[in-house]
């Protein structure tokens, strides 16, 4: 498994969760990463992305100011800190990786993890 997401679970609205994406892709530092999510019956949407150096970060409009993407190259892991969670954040969250840079487009990413479920109760 090249990308393994974890950290999902059940949380009340207003709460926080931190997702992790452990990557076996090497060299880790040369990959850009992103998080996407898909709610039941809905299309996949972009959540956040971070460039290979961590300098450039991008967020979907619905999560700006609440979510933070980061990376730890020493641990080969990307994180998604999710604060002020809302019921509409409920979805399966998947991490993705590309050696071509960061973007909001899912088609750009060659590598995908299986996802972790986040459920936010009202």
């Amino acid at each position: 498994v090249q990308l393994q997401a974890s950290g999902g679970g059940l949380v009340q609205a207003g709460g926080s969760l931190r997702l992790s994406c452990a990557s076996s892709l090497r060299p880790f530092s040369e990959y850009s990463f992103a998080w996407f999510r898909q709610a039941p019956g809905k299309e996949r949407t972009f959540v956040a992305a971070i460039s290979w150096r961590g300098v450039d970060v991008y967020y979907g409009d619905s999560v700006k100011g609440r979510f933070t993407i980061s990376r730890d190259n020493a641990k080969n892991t990307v994180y998604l800190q999710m604060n002020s969670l809302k019921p509409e954040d409920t979805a399966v969250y998947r991490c993705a990786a590309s050696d071509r840079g960061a973007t909001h487009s899912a088609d750009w990413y060659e590598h995908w993890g299986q996802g972790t479920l986040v459920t936010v109760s009202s």
Side-chain angles (χ1 to χ4, degrees):
V1 177
Q2 294 179 317
L3 297 173
Q4 183 67 55
S6 62
L10 174 63
V11 63
Q12 289 188 331
S16 299
L17 280 176
R18 188 178 78 159
L19 305 184
S20 299
C21 177
S23 174
S24 62
L25 295 169
R26 296 293 184 272
F28 177 87
S29 61
E30 293 186 6
Y31 282 86
S32 296
F33 292 86
W35 289 94
F36 290 82
R37 68 186 182 185
Q38 187 165 18
K42 296 187 177 180
E43 294 185 352
R44 179 175 54 194
T45 59
F46 170 73
V47 176
I50 187 166
S51 63
W52 63 279
R53 287 192 297 177
V55 173
D56 300 314
V57 293
Y58 308 94
Y59 295 98
D61 289 342
S62 62
V63 306
K64 283 180 181 177
R66 299 188 298 123
F67 291 11
T68 302
I69 189 171
S70 62
R71 62 188 296 157
D72 186 336
N73 288 352
K75 295 183 178 180
N76 300 317
T77 302
V78 176
Y79 302 99
L80 184 69
Q81 178 66 44
M82 306 186 295
N83 298 328
S84 303
L85 283 161
K86 306 174 181 180
E88 51 264 43
D89 294 318
T90 295
V92 173
Y93 286 71
R94 298 179 69 187
C95 58
S98 172
D99 61 0
R100 299 180 293 169
T103 179
H104 67 283
S105 174
D107 293 339
W108 187 255
Y109 295 90
E110 308 101 341
H111 307 279
W112 288 83
Q114 291 194 341
T116 185
L117 176 62
V118 172
T119 303
V120 184
S121 63
S122 58

